[in-house]
Amino acid sequence: MTLWFMTSNKGKVAEASEYFANHGMIVKQFEFEATEPQTDDLEVVTISKLEQAISTLPNPDDMLLVEDAGLFVDALDGFPGVYSSYVLNTIGTHGILKLLDQLKSENPIQDSKLRSAEFRAVAALYCKGQTIISEGVCRGRISHQVRGDEGFGFDPIFVPTDLDVTGESLECGELGETSTHGKTFGEITLEEKQLYSHRRRALSGIIEGFSRIG
Ligand code: IMP
């Protein structure tokens, strides 16, 4: 079964392909320049992009996936959020570190709280005339340096929180069954990132919805 993934980001395609392959689906990249609405709501952005692209599908029976993500830093009131792409292309990962360094605390526990953040992803799948929507969140913190060459985007400055036995994210500083031991997403493999990933969580909601509509 082929699923078109509308994105220009090859890193996202790699993650989605790896995940959907386990469910017998082949992911193909679909290039389409959608206009992004002015809103701070990821879900509104995702649905708008999906609606703009549906009529351009090669075959009306094809499935179309759109997924929009962002990095939300607690101490910056959720910035860069829906502006993540623009911020990455302008001030970059180093710019985010500079902003957070101004909030630095000498107390290591307080410092790690000041750096708490999360990745959020909203995925929408168009299939058989219906739309399935799912959100995924990954809690973590912003590292002090840019570390690692794996992944893409903000991966080299994001350290996920540990996971409990059920795979749920714990709070910053809590020790769990699964941990990167302080490594950023840029320092771990794609397989390991999938354990924590906001994208994988959003996509697993899509698979659940898909199996419901058959
Ligand atoms: P998009 O609009 O969903 O493509 O993502 C917004 C920005 O967030 C882009 O610059 C991405 O590189 C970045 N981003 C999205 N997901 C991730 C991720 O899983 N890791 C690191 N950066 C991400």
Side-chain angles (χ1 to χ4, degrees):
M1 220 181 285
T2 303
L3 187 157
W4 293 103
F5 186 7
M6 188 185 115
T7 179
S8 55
N9 185 327
K10 295 215 169 351
K12 282 186 173 189
V13 178
E15 288 183 20
S17 300
E18 209 252 5
Y19 184 70
F20 282 113
N22 298 327
H23 298 274
M25 291 186 199
I26 298 164
V27 173
K28 285 191 183 161
Q29 189 169 3
F30 186 66
E31 299 266 8
F32 176 80
E33 272 303 316
T35 313
E36 196 153 326
Q38 285 284 327
T39 169
D40 60 3
D41 187 329
L42 268 186
E43 187 171 319
V44 174
V45 175
T46 310
I47 294 171
S48 163
K49 287 182 176 173
L50 184 83
E51 285 173 349
Q52 292 175 57
I54 286 171
S55 63
T56 69
L57 275 174
N59 178 337
D61 291 333
D62 287 346
M63 287 189 286
L64 178 65
L65 176 72
V66 176
E67 180 267 337
D68 228 74
L71 176 68
F72 295 74
V73 180
D74 297 354
L76 302 177
D77 290 333
F79 182 82
V82 292
Y83 310 106
S84 292
S85 185
Y86 179 73
V87 168
L88 189 70
N89 292 332
T90 49
I91 62 171
T93 47
H94 286 96
I96 294 284
L97 296 190
K98 262 194 199 160
L99 284 174
L100 284 179
D101 281 348
Q102 287 164 19
L103 307 171
K104 211 168 189 168
S105 162
E106 292 310 316
N107 176 330
I109 295 173
Q110 243 167 21
D111 188 57
S112 124
K113 284 201 173 133
L114 280 175
R115 304 182 82 86
S116 64
E118 66 190 29
F119 271 124
R120 282 184 218 156
V122 174
L125 178 77
Y126 172 79
C127 172
K128 298 179 187 165
Q130 295 190 50
T131 302
I132 304 161
I133 297 161
S134 168
E135 187 186 23
V137 176
C138 173
R139 291 289 299 163
R141 68 179 160 82
I142 305 298
S143 57
H144 285 277
Q145 289 104 25
V146 177
R147 288 192 265 114
D149 305 315
E150 298 292 329
F152 63 93
F154 296 104
D155 281 346
I157 60 165
F158 187 83
V159 180
T161 59
D162 286 7
L163 306 178
D164 67 15
V165 274
T166 67
E168 287 306 310
S169 294
L170 292 168
E171 287 301 315
C172 266
E174 281 187 310
L175 299 179
E177 283 291 300
T178 310
S179 174
T180 68
H181 304 287
K183 286 184 185 162
T184 67
F185 272 168
E187 296 177 295
I188 61 175
T189 62
L190 171 61
E191 289 71 27
E192 202 178 348
K193 179 181 173 186
Q194 298 283 41
L195 300 174
Y196 304 86
S197 165
H198 46 298
R199 180 159 304 101
R200 195 265 305 155
R201 288 169 196 226
L203 296 183
S204 70
I206 291 287
I207 290 284
E208 276 171 33
F210 176 74
S211 51
R212 273 198 298 274
I213 63 173

